Amino acid sequence: MITTTLLIVIVIAFGVYVYKFPPKKNPCPCGTPNKICLDYSNESMSELEVGLIHEMVDKYKENQLKTINQLSEFTNFGDARAIAFKLDTLKKFIYHIEKESLDRSVNLTDKITAKELGVRIYYAAYPPIDKWKNHDDLVPFLASNSIRNEYGHLHTLVMIPTRTKGTTTFDFNPLDSNTFSTGLYDRAGYAYNYTPANKTAALSLKSEDDNTNTTGSQNHGSLIPPGDPAGLMGF
């Protein structure tokens, strides 16, 4: 009788414990601790009002884009007004920002956490085509991609990893631990120059098959126009 009563008490106590402290879902579905593998199934997808998007896109076309297209560089054609990235390209870039910076800071006093990481998106413009030969990252497209040979002067984006410490957010290079504490600004090796061709992580115009990062930066996007001649943009 005592054993049965004790068993009932244990079962009830366990039920109460599970109710108050339900097991948390493993944030790493792949089950491998040293891999970044997150599950956001409990989060809602980000949304914006369709009308607001149209209003903002139209505002840009009627103001900034209209002004840009009056410049001499755009007398025969208009500037790009959108840039499209493959989802896999963005996922790889974000993955490497987090993994490279966390791995490299593990033995440092100033350890980086995932919540400190971000991306700064710079508005940018490609050099004129006759200057592409000065940049190793652009040379391959002079012969291999006729559409990208039309990118000279056009508006684009460059994505650079950021870290936030306290109230300060700065650009940094996940591939260079010397930039982890104070970032790239005024640091030797990241100043504006052509020789030597310094590299940093960024999302940059390179072959889609090239998985290497150079500062961690990225720009594997397609400009529209001249791309998407069918005009299939929704906005």
Side-chain angles (χ1 to χ4, degrees):
M1 182 66 180
I2 295 177
T3 302
T4 302
T5 303
L6 181 60
L7 181 59
I8 293 174
V9 170
I10 292 175
V11 169
I12 293 174
F14 180 77
V16 171
Y17 177 84
V18 171
Y19 177 79
K20 287 183 172 293
F21 305 100
K24 294 182 179 180
K25 190 173 183 178
N26 184 358
C28 184
C30 55
T32 306
N34 65 340
K35 288 188 176 180
I36 299 168
C37 187
L38 301 178
D39 180 1
Y40 291 101
S41 59
N42 292 327
E43 302 285 340
S44 299
M45 188 168 187
S46 178
E47 297 178 291
L48 277 178
E49 298 172 15
V50 171
L52 175 60
I53 297 173
H54 278 292
E55 184 175 340
M56 292 192 295
V57 170
D58 289 343
K59 184 76 171 175
Y60 173 80
K61 287 191 293 184
E62 293 302 317
N63 289 274
Q64 288 92 332
L65 184 61
K66 185 176 180 179
T67 300
I68 290 170
N69 286 341
Q70 292 174 351
L71 299 175
S72 58
E73 292 92 337
F74 304 101
T75 53
N76 296 322
F77 54 90
D79 191 13
R81 68 183 187 92
I83 179 168
F85 289 92
K86 290 183 178 179
L87 183 60
D88 195 50
T89 296
L90 296 173
K91 287 164 64 177
K92 280 190 265 189
F93 182 55
I94 293 170
Y95 171 87
H96 283 111
I97 291 174
E98 187 168 354
K99 188 173 191 309
E100 295 292 345
S101 56
L102 296 185
D103 284 353
R104 281 178 167 78
S105 74
V106 69
N107 294 320
L108 301 179
T109 302
D110 184 18
K111 290 181 173 57
I112 292 178
T113 65
K115 289 185 178 180
E116 298 174 339
L117 299 174
V119 174
R120 194 191 310 274
I121 301 176
Y122 284 95
Y123 305 121
Y126 285 109
I129 292 296
D130 61 357
K131 300 292 186 183
W132 283 30
K133 61 182 180 295
N134 298 328
H135 303 281
D136 291 343
D137 288 334
L138 297 177
V139 168
F141 296 104
L142 287 171
S144 64
N145 192 311
S146 60
I147 292 180
R148 281 181 172 161
N149 290 345
E150 300 176 32
Y151 281 10
H153 301 293
L154 297 188
H155 187 184
T156 187
L157 302 172
V158 177
M159 303 183 191
I160 303 292
T162 64
R163 182 186 184 190
T164 298
K165 292 182 65 177
T167 59
T168 303
T169 297
F170 52 83
D171 297 352
F172 83 109
N173 184 1
L175 304 174
D176 182 359
S177 59
N178 292 320
T179 69
F180 287 8
S181 295
T182 57
L184 307 179
Y185 186 73
D186 280 348
R187 179 170 292 280
Y190 294 92
Y192 182 88
N193 63 75
Y194 289 112
T195 307
N198 297 318
K199 297 281 191 176
T200 184
L203 193 59
S204 60
L205 185 75
K206 295 177 1 173
S207 167
E208 294 290 352
D209 296 326
D210 186 351
N211 293 322
T212 60
N213 283 321
T214 59
T215 153
S217 60
Q218 250 303 4
N219 182 281
H220 292 276
S222 299
L223 299 190
I224 307 164
D228 192 25
L232 298 179
M233 289 188 292
F235 297 95

